[in-house]
Amino acid sequence: MGIAVDTDTDMTGNTALESVNDWPSHGGQAAALLQRFGLPADHPLDDFSANLNPHGPPSWVAHFLAERIHQLDQYPEPSYHAARQAIAAQEGVSADQVLLTNGGAEAIFLAAAHHAGQRALIVTPTFGEYASACAVHRLTVTEHALVGPAFEVDAGELQASAAKADVVFLCRPNNPTGTLVSIADIENILACMASTATLVVDEAFIDLAIDAKPLTPLLARHPQLVLLRSMTKFYTLPGLRLGYVLARAEHIASLARYQPPWSVNQLAARLVAPLLDDMAFAQRTQQWLANEQPRMGRALAAMGLDVVPSHSCFFLVRPGAELCQSGISSLMLLERLLHQGMLARHTYSFSGLNGGWLRLAVRDSSANDRLLKVLHDCVC
Ligand SMILES: Cc1ncc(COP(=O)(O)O)c(C=O)c1O
């Protein structure tokens, strides 16, 4: 049985009673949406539903993997020393403060396993895997909802809730809002938390962020801080799975006990150092983001959409008041976009959003132009 989502109160005018479980739980799941809206499986689509760097993977990756394919007959080196050393050098921490993981997703589940059976606070709306990991490891979950149309943090309330939690999950920049909790607020939260509690900050999008610095320097003075990273978004390698955790050495050793042996495959582990060395790819990516992200934000707002001020490579949008008055809803936009070959991310699976918003990834300039044109035709 799906969880019923009452859309009667939905500002976008969606009227159907939707069920969370009727919708795919992540972006990039075109087949399920095409089927839902009665479109053929081969309907051509531009995917704006997954937040991936449109420039990747770096061009040399295919050759690098092909040259090492014969190494699949060996186990990976179990401590992943070379990969952890490369990450440590880049992050300015020691190698025993790094745990290599099978994507950011595994890092989330390890962070929850460490607090099995305890009390979690999740700052919502956010990535659904924190709640899933807490459910698997039987944590009791309380949510702290970001407030207002700009999804801001209520610092006092968040600190009070954090003081009662054994683990706080916070995503920075946050998926799906793109919003950023300030470093001052992070330090205030840490100050309120028990010494045995942890603040888990998912920085999966920090390398695809604008005007945002990673929290790595805080690790030296805040033993309760745990940072989760993903390498799948920046390097466009979601099929390969690569991520890591940064924390104090004792916490890393504790998380490692929950990780299955050889969790990261041999080829992925070998890719870490050369990926981090590819400065040209990083610069190209940063240049693209600096150009396209603000341009898309302005263009979407100019169309009459409410656009949440985002610090990352995606925007949470919904029809603004005037468009709502003309009867346009987010669900309607999603369907129209799909018919026109554009896949947006629905928001039925994000706590508190009830499908009333859509998340749109920023892609390369020509794909973005195509999206803007189609959206313009949908709302005008
Ligand atoms: C906020 C956030 N954290 C972690 C992940 C998982 O990333 P990975 O593909 O590295 O497992 C995602 C994936 O969408 C995400 O949005």
Side-chain angles (χ1 to χ4, degrees):
M1 264 279 283
I3 303 162
V5 176
D6 184 356
T7 54
D8 282 354
T9 53
D10 183 339
M11 289 180 63
T12 64
N14 295 343
T15 51
L17 194 69
E18 298 292 344
S19 165
V20 172
N21 291 352
D22 291 347
W23 292 86
S25 54
H26 291 286
Q29 292 179 271
L33 281 175
L34 290 172
Q35 191 181 23
R36 184 184 175 98
F37 289 102
L39 289 163
D42 60 354
H43 184 70
L45 277 181
D46 267 345
D47 189 354
F48 289 85
S49 72
N51 301 323
L52 297 169
N53 182 349
H55 292 92
S59 54
W60 51 267
V61 165
H63 180 67
F64 183 97
L65 293 176
E67 267 200 324
R68 286 162 184 78
I69 198 79
H70 64 278
Q71 294 176 358
L72 289 179
D73 68 0
Q74 304 157 17
Y75 279 94
E77 186 276 300
S79 76
Y80 300 108
H81 184 73
R84 286 171 42 236
Q85 196 71 53
I87 293 166
Q90 149 128 343
E91 301 286 353
V93 298
S94 61
D96 59 4
Q97 290 184 273
V98 181
L99 182 68
L100 193 69
T101 60
N102 194 279
E106 186 187 37
I108 293 167
F109 277 70
L110 295 177
H114 182 81
H115 290 281
Q118 299 185 342
R119 297 160 304 169
L121 178 72
I122 303 180
V123 182
T124 60
T126 195
F127 187 49
E129 295 303 330
Y130 315 127
S132 302
C134 288
V136 167
H137 294 290
R138 304 176 323 281
L139 280 90
T140 310
V141 173
T142 306
E143 291 188 7
H144 170 89
L146 297 168
V147 290
F151 293 94
E152 278 154 333
V153 76
D154 178 333
E157 198 183 296
L158 179 51
Q159 286 165 36
S161 306
K164 292 183 232 144
D166 299 301
V167 54
V168 177
F169 285 93
L170 186 153
C171 186
R172 183 180 186 275
N174 185 39
N175 172 14
T177 59
T179 49
L180 197 75
V181 176
S182 72
I183 293 188
D185 280 338
I186 294 285
E187 299 217 66
N188 289 334
I189 296 166
L190 284 161
C192 293
M193 293 178 70
S195 60
T196 52
T198 53
L199 172 59
V200 176
V201 181
D202 185 350
E203 296 190 314
F205 289 102
I206 199 67
D207 44 9
L208 288 167
I210 286 195
D211 299 330
K213 289 202 169 66
L215 297 179
T216 328
L218 271 60
L219 286 171
R221 51 179 197 279
H222 292 291
Q224 305 133 301
L225 184 62
V226 177
L227 303 179
L228 312 185
R229 297 285 180 78
S230 165
M231 294 179 76
T232 69
K233 286 135 200 343
F234 189 81
Y235 295 105
T236 330
L237 291 167
L240 195 72
R241 320 300 304 132
L242 260 182
Y244 54 95
V245 185
L246 302 175
R248 74 191 152 90
E250 297 75 17
H251 194 82
I252 290 293
S254 167
L255 292 183
R257 285 198 283 274
Y258 300 104
Q259 189 178 37
W262 310 293
S263 187
V264 180
N265 74 72
Q266 165 86 308
L267 297 184
R270 297 245 164 169
L271 258 182
V272 170
L275 285 174
L276 296 177
D277 276 348
D278 192 343
M279 298 315 292
F281 180 80
Q283 272 163 16
R284 216 166 40 251
T285 299
Q286 277 143 17
Q287 193 59 56
W288 152 76
L289 195 63
N291 292 338
E292 283 302 300
Q293 201 269 12
R295 178 175 87 92
M296 284 301 281
R298 285 191 299 271
L300 293 168
M303 254 175 236
L305 296 169
D306 286 345
V307 182
V308 178
S310 170
H311 286 263
S312 195
C313 57
F314 48 87
F315 285 99
L316 192 64
V317 304
R318 68 180 177 189
E322 270 187 38
L323 293 176
C324 286
Q325 271 165 19
S326 332
I328 294 180
S329 70
S330 287
L331 182 59
M332 196 181 283
L333 272 187
L334 178 77
E335 183 169 9
R336 285 188 190 171
L337 285 173
L338 206 60
H339 278 272
Q340 300 300 317
M342 304 279 158
L343 182 61
R345 172 68 161 93
H346 73 85
T347 55
Y348 287 103
S349 52
F350 290 108
S351 175
L353 295 188
N354 296 350
W357 298 77
L358 296 176
R359 193 191 67 200
L360 299 170
V362 177
R363 298 194 44 201
D364 61 76
S365 61
S366 54
N368 293 336
D369 284 342
R370 288 198 297 280
L371 174 70
L372 291 173
K373 169 151 192 352
V374 169
L375 258 177
H376 187 265
D377 293 347
C378 289
V379 298
C380 290

